[in-house]
Amino acid sequence: MKDYLFVVNPIAGGGKGENTIDIIDSIMSQEKYSYEIIKTEYEKQGTKIVEDNIEDFKVFVAVGGDGSINEVAQGLVNNKKGKLAIIPNGTGNDLAKQLEIPLDPKRSLKRILNGKERELDVIKANGHNFMNIGSIGYDSEVIYNYNNLRDKTPGKLSYLFSVLYTLIGFKSKKMEIEIDGEKFQGNYTLLALGNGKYYGGGFKILPKAKVDDEKIHICIVSELSKFKILLLFPTILFGTHVKITKYVKIYKANTLNVKLKDAIWLNLDGELVEKTDFIQFSLDKYKIKLIS
């Protein structure tokens, strides 16, 4: 059995994934460990690469952003074996921020080679697995519009434009929510939950979240006017939105069920996975072994 398989998304972070291959080769060629590098060529291929090689490698290194990490992790969870490591090369790198993994590829690789093993909780959502943050509501619509508009708007302005564009037509979502058996309902702007603190490239949506405390951390934002949505977003960047208790509620739970009046997009680790009117969230019994 070989030591490391590097699963590289070559287009992550505007091409940083491709540039990291030379760094990996340079460092690994001087080490005693055996390794291989495989580049992904299409969406979701990272999961297939892991599953095809699950018996042949000890550690699977995701080289890319949060979506790439999710793909590699899916293969480990599906097979209930293997270890995960991360070289962050995406745009947001939110899970890496949570895990305090260096963004410099040389440093993150050396940390992997000298790193310690820990566990990472896995959350299931309608059969999908995710490790960082899932959400529905305003921000998932922002992602949907961003995916459609990013080729028409230059650089980082595309995300800001998507935020404003989404705001124009946004309407709060009617939800029936059940948290560990406690039920309530109403109109809500946003529901986010997960293991990690950060999403959207550094927004601190769940300030007290931990990746290994066996709890789902939840943030629910009640119905807001468009003006108040704009005022709320800067507070999320610093995690101070949790002090606005009139509109923001924070929970920790084992299960969360959400029934919606209308089907909306479900965002998991920065990727839209399905449009649905019912979502069942729960902790998976399996924990990913993480080298970090």
Side-chain angles (χ1 to χ4, degrees):
M1 179 178 283
K2 296 181 181 178
D3 294 308
Y4 297 94
L5 176 60
F6 294 85
V7 182
V8 180
N9 179 356
I11 63 172
K16 288 188 290 186
E18 181 75 52
N19 297 336
T20 304
I21 292 176
D22 289 341
I23 295 173
I24 295 170
D25 275 327
S26 175
I27 294 175
M28 294 302 294
S29 62
Q30 301 175 41
E31 298 288 340
K32 60 182 179 181
Y33 303 107
S34 55
Y35 76 100
E36 287 187 20
I37 298 172
I38 299 179
K39 295 191 291 185
T40 58
E41 298 177 353
Y42 54 85
E43 190 175 348
K44 307 300 182 187
Q45 189 187 7
T47 302
K48 185 178 186 305
I49 290 172
V50 172
E51 293 182 333
D52 289 346
N53 293 276
I54 195 68
E55 303 294 340
D56 301 323
F57 293 88
K58 298 176 183 176
V59 181
F60 296 81
V61 186
V63 185
D66 290 317
S68 301
I69 296 167
N70 184 287
E71 288 186 20
V72 171
Q74 294 284 350
L76 303 179
V77 176
N78 291 345
N79 289 274
K80 302 293 188 290
K81 64 190 309 182
K83 298 178 183 180
L84 172 69
I86 298 167
I87 297 179
N89 261 334
T91 303
N93 301 310
D94 290 304
L95 184 57
K97 289 187 180 77
Q98 169 77 10
L99 298 170
E100 299 181 344
I101 295 174
L103 298 183
D104 177 75
K106 292 181 180 178
R107 291 179 59 206
S108 58
L109 178 51
K110 290 180 179 179
R111 176 166 165 165
I112 290 168
L113 298 178
N114 298 299
K116 296 180 180 180
E117 185 176 310
R118 60 188 298 191
E119 290 185 330
L120 175 63
D121 291 338
V122 177
I123 304 175
K124 301 189 78 69
N126 289 3
H128 306 282
N129 304 310
F130 68 102
M131 276 53 65
N132 190 39
I133 290 179
S135 66
I136 53 176
Y138 182 70
D139 61 341
S140 61
E141 291 191 14
V142 169
I143 293 173
Y144 175 80
N145 288 322
Y146 171 74
N147 290 341
N148 289 314
L149 296 170
R150 59 185 171 183
D151 293 333
K152 302 173 185 178
T153 311
K156 295 182 179 180
L157 291 177
S158 56
Y159 186 80
L160 177 60
F161 183 76
S162 300
V163 169
L164 299 175
Y165 179 84
T166 302
L167 190 63
I168 295 171
F170 181 77
K171 295 181 180 179
S172 61
K173 310 303 178 185
K174 186 174 183 178
M175 304 182 192
E176 296 179 16
I177 300 171
E178 180 179 358
I179 299 177
D180 283 352
E182 178 186 350
K183 298 180 181 180
F184 52 94
Q185 61 181 336
N187 294 325
Y188 300 95
T189 298
L190 166 67
L191 186 154
L193 74 159
N195 289 322
K197 293 180 174 67
Y198 307 98
Y199 80 153
F203 284 89
K204 204 172 184 178
I205 188 67
L206 298 169
K208 294 186 178 181
K210 297 180 180 179
V211 298
D212 56 359
D213 65 352
E214 298 184 341
K215 289 292 182 181
I216 302 172
H217 292 251
I218 305 164
C219 174
I220 301 177
V221 180
S222 59
E223 185 174 25
L224 297 175
S225 67
K226 291 177 172 58
F227 177 69
K228 286 181 178 177
I229 291 174
L230 282 178
L231 292 180
L232 181 71
F233 256 75
T235 68
I236 297 176
L237 184 61
F238 301 101
T240 56
H241 62 293
V242 299
K243 298 178 181 179
I244 311 173
T245 55
K246 181 178 179 179
Y247 301 112
V248 180
K249 304 297 181 186
I250 302 295
Y251 303 87
K252 286 197 296 184
N254 297 308
T255 61
L256 168 66
N257 297 329
V258 184
K259 184 178 180 181
L260 299 130
K261 181 181 178 182
D262 302 303
I264 62 175
W265 284 106
L266 169 62
N267 161 47
L268 301 178
D269 289 349
E271 303 290 335
L272 300 178
V273 298
E274 65 172 296
K275 199 170 187 180
T276 180
D277 61 2
F278 179 77
I279 312 165
Q280 185 176 53
F281 298 97
S282 62
L283 282 168
D284 196 300
K285 292 181 180 180
Y286 180 74
K287 293 174 178 290
I288 291 178
K289 292 180 176 60
L290 175 72
I291 307 298
S292 73

